[in-house]
């Protein structure tokens, strides 16, 4: 897909992966809506990137908010790319049955699924409905939605039942969504990251690597957020990528337990 003269929305656009994707999009000349709840960081990014970057306060848990954001992007140029890459530390984790014999709280599981799976579905269905109104390109394509899972969706670790299930759900959404949207010419892809150094870690890169990075095979380092952004752009540009989840992890496979 030729991105010239198009717009994009990045949900979670001020985060680690999100801001790296915004940078790539703006560099490619795309009108880019940074959709997030972090107004301060959103405005900083607009100041940094200039005219092609726009910040719209967006709550991924609200239909109304997402619909308004997609409409704002359509006002700039046809909306052809949506990247769903929000995150939150408000979910819950923990062993199914703790050392004290108590089962893990149900609420943590429900919240985690709401954040990572239900909100992704919310953004996917509203993005697709907005893109379906686009004039098709010569190729018959109308746009692409890129979701974000995690390798924990394949190899969830001890204490990750909720996160692993939510991310596996995102992977599971990918093919049926692509099939549903085939008649509209909207593709659906999922990026499945390993361990990337982003602000979500709330520690130095060295500390993060020594805690989480030992099992990474090659390159022998954590992923860089820009490598996520690069893959997102590659997916947008390549029409034949559809209905698939792509791991980007330096051949990392999570062991049962984190260090
Ligand atoms: N960093 C990694 O190693 C890694 C690995 C695998 C998967 N992921 C996934 O990638 C995604 C993003 O991760 P990140 O590391 O960039 O996180 P991050 O914390 O840097 O960014 C998350 C962004 O989401 C925004 N956000 C929070 N609540 C929101 C809401 N209600 N509406 C809109 N935006 C909201 C935050 O303000 C923040 O800008 C998450 O889904 C995470 O599970 C990350």
């Amino acid at each position: 897909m030729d991105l010239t003269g198009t717009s994009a929305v990045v949900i979670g656009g001020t985060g680690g992966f999100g801001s790296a994707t915004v940078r790539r999009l703006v560099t490619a000349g795309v009108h880019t809506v940074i959709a997030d709840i972090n107004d301060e960081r959103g405005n900083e990014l607009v100041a940094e990137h200039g005219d092609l970057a726009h910040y719209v306060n967006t709550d991924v848990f609200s239909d109304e908010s997402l619909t308004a954001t997609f409409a704002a992007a359509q006002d700039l140029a046809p909306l052809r790319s949506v990247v769903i890459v929000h995150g939150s530390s408000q979910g819950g984790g923990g062993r199914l049955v703790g050392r004290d014999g108590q089962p893990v709280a149900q609420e943590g599981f429900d919240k985690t699924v709401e954040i990572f799976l239900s909100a992704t579905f919310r953004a996917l269905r509203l993005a697709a409905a907005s893109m379906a109104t686009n004039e098709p390109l010569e190729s018959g394509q109308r746009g692409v939605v890129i979701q974000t899972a995690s390798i924990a969706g394949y190899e969830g670790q001890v204490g990750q039942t909720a996160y692993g299930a939510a991310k596996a759900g995102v992977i599971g959404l990918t093919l049926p969504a692509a099939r549903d949207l085939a008649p509209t010419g909207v593709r659906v892809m999922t990026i499945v990251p390993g361990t990337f150094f982003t602000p979500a870690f709330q520690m130095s890169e060295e500390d993060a690597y020594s805690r989480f990075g030992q099992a990474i095979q090659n390159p022998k380092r954590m992923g860089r957020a820009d490598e996520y952004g690069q893959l997102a752009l590659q997916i947008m540009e390549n029409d034949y990528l559809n209905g698939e989840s792509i791991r980007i992890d330096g051949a990392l496979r999570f062991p049962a337990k984190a260090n």
Side-chain angles (χ1 to χ4, degrees):
M1 183 167 67
D2 182 3
L3 300 177
T4 315
T6 71
S7 71
V9 170
V10 183
I11 301 165
T14 76
F17 285 152
S19 57
T21 307
V22 167
R23 190 161 296 115
R24 284 271 177 175
L25 282 163
V26 169
T27 305
V30 176
H31 294 276
T32 306
V33 173
I34 302 160
D36 205 294
I37 50 172
N38 187 337
D39 295 352
E40 191 183 340
R41 184 75 189 114
N43 291 324
E44 277 171 18
L45 285 172
V46 170
E48 186 184 327
H49 292 306
D51 290 351
L52 285 171
H54 310 263
Y55 175 71
V56 179
N57 180 291
T58 308
D59 181 3
V60 73
F61 301 116
S62 156
D63 273 36
E64 207 182 9
S65 177
L66 286 166
T67 302
T69 298
F70 295 141
Q74 292 281 19
D75 285 345
L76 298 167
L79 173 61
R80 303 250 183 234
S81 313
V82 172
V83 181
I84 306 170
V85 67
H86 66 281
S88 167
S89 56
Q90 285 171 9
R95 284 174 186 256
L96 264 183
V97 178
R99 291 206 172 84
D100 58 1
Q102 293 302 309
V104 71
Q106 180 66 34
E107 294 72 33
F109 184 90
D110 294 346
K111 185 76 190 162
T112 303
V113 169
E114 185 191 349
I115 293 168
F116 292 105
L117 179 56
S118 302
T120 295
F121 184 68
R122 181 186 304 285
L124 166 67
R125 52 184 257 283
L126 296 170
S130 177
M131 284 178 181
T133 66
N134 289 343
E135 281 299 315
L137 296 165
E138 234 174 82
S139 57
Q141 294 299 306
R142 284 193 167 81
V144 59
V145 179
I146 300 174
Q147 311 181 124
T148 308
S150 159
I151 66 170
Y154 295 118
E155 302 123 29
Q157 297 181 290
V158 166
Q160 281 194 316
T161 48
Y163 187 68
K167 292 299 192 179
V170 174
I171 294 164
L173 257 183
T174 311
L175 181 61
R179 287 173 164 169
D180 274 3
L181 296 175
T184 64
V186 174
R187 295 181 290 126
V188 181
M189 288 290 293
T190 296
I191 295 179
V192 186
T195 310
F196 282 63
F197 185 69
T198 69
F201 279 88
Q202 298 180 336
M203 60 180 78
S204 75
E205 189 165 1
E206 272 174 18
D207 288 350
Y209 179 80
S210 64
R211 211 166 138 199
F212 303 104
Q214 300 303 325
I216 298 167
Q217 299 293 299
N218 178 33
K220 203 81 196 140
R221 59 169 171 79
M222 296 181 82
R224 297 181 179 131
D226 181 57
E227 290 165 331
Y228 174 103
Q230 181 183 19
L231 179 56
L233 266 282
Q234 288 164 338
I235 291 170
M236 289 170 198
E237 286 168 345
N238 191 329
D239 283 351
Y240 215 62
L241 287 171
N242 192 16
E244 185 55 285
S245 297
I246 303 181
R247 295 181 72 121
I248 177 165
D249 60 13
L252 169 65
R253 298 293 179 271
F254 277 157
K257 285 187 188 173
N259 289 333

